[in-house]
Amino acid sequence: KNEVEQSPQNLTAQEGEFITINCSYSVGISALHWLQQHPGGGIVSLFMLSSGKKKHGRLIATINIQEKHSSLHITASHPRDSAVYICAVRENTGNQFYFGTGTSLTVIP
Amino acid sequence: NAGVMQNPRHLVRRRGQEARLRCSPMKGHSHVYWYRQLPEEGLKFMVYLQKENIIDESGMPKERFSAEFPKEGPSILRIQQVVRGDSAAYFCASSWVGVTEAFFGQGTRLTVV
């Protein structure tokens, strides 16, 4: 069983749609990260959360520590948002990060 | 996160050769993490280093792989006698002492032919 589960694995949306990507985890954490990876590209850290909600532009990330769940929302999606979005958690008892397998998002014009 | 520099970006090695991957952390960061992303798979933790110390290498293969983070210079991930199964993207991340946020590099894509 993976420590971090993401859904959906693949997502296709029309430009302008509201998008939600979900992440559930099974370990105690000190922080949760949402990362973005473009095809063949590097990894960009979008958010780091330990509680509540953060917003940056059209991106919103929320976390519910009790339910061990986080969501990444994209409002007014755009083709340039097409990428793989990865949820990663830092375990609070050690040094490891655990990663979800990613959600591949394609936004169609 | 542009401050974490990895080189080379792409590396091609023949089977049996050695691969050396470099990671220069952001200025002031003393913690480095290495991750491997195999084709069609998610990122997997390999090793966590502080300056001159390996803190956690539980994700490192037992043979052929080693990592170091010297007092001066970049962190090095070394793979000896590479095999085709080592072909992957290798990412490093860095952080400050006691800070949970980590910044990622662009990765090195290793291809073993």
Side-chain angles (χ1 to χ4, degrees), chain B residues 11-26:
Chain B
L11 181 62
V12 179
R13 284 286 178 267
R14 295 187 184 279
R15 279 180 296 172
Q17 290 185 320
E18 178 179 283
R20 280 184 167 233
L21 288 63
R22 292 174 182 77
C23 170
S24 297
M26 284 185 70

Side-chain angles (χ1 to χ4, degrees), chain A:
Chain A
K1 182 184 182 301
N2 292 332
E3 290 83 359
V4 181
E5 299 280 355
Q6 281 185 243
S7 64
Q9 279 192 306
N10 296 285
L11 181 57
T12 301
Q14 288 292 132
E15 184 173 356
E17 283 187 6
F18 180 83
I19 288 162
T20 296
I21 300 170
N22 295 300
C23 174
S24 297
Y25 53 91
S26 58
V27 296
I29 69 168
S30 56
L32 181 144
H33 295 248
W34 280 103
L35 309 171
Q36 181 191 57
Q37 185 177 27
H38 284 278
I43 293 174
V44 175
S45 180
L46 299 174
F47 293 104
M48 185 191 75
L49 295 161
S50 53
S51 65
K53 176 180 174 178
K54 285 190 177 180
K55 183 176 188 295
H56 185 252
R58 295 180 294 106
L59 302 178
I60 303 166
T62 63
I63 188 169
N64 184 318
I65 297 294
Q66 286 73 31
E67 295 186 4
K68 294 189 173 180
H69 181 269
S70 175
S71 293
L72 176 68
H73 306 284
I74 305 175
T75 61
S77 59
H78 190 277
R80 64 173 174 265
D81 297 327
S82 299
V84 175
Y85 291 84
I86 302 168
C87 173
V89 301
R90 183 161 186 166
E91 193 177 19
N92 60 7
T93 58
N95 308 305
Q96 287 205 29
F97 278 89
Y98 295 104
F99 296 85
T101 52
T103 295
S104 179
L105 171 66
T106 303
V107 181
I108 299 169

Side-chain angles (χ1 to χ4, degrees), chain A residues 30-31 33 35 37 40-45 48 86 90 95-97 99-101, chain B residues 1 33 35 37 42-43 45 48 55-56 58 91 99-102 104-106 109:
Chain A
S30 56
H33 295 248
L35 309 171
Q37 185 177 27
I43 293 174
V44 175
S45 180
M48 185 191 75
I86 302 168
R90 183 161 186 166
N95 308 305
Q96 287 205 29
F97 278 89
F99 296 85
T101 52
Chain B
N1 67 342
Y33 312 80
Y35 301 93
Q37 186 177 41
L43 286 151
F45 168 81
Y48 165 43
I55 305 303
D56 182 347
S58 57
F91 291 92
V99 174
T100 54
E101 186 170 18
F104 285 81
Q106 292 289 303
R109 276 159 182 79

Side-chain angles (χ1 to χ4, degrees), chain B residues 2 7 10 18 35 50 62 71 79 91 93 97-98 111:
Chain B
N7 68 81
H10 300 275
E18 178 179 283
Y35 301 93
Q50 293 179 12
K62 293 288 185 284
K71 187 176 180 181
I79 311 171
F91 291 92
V97 174
T111 302

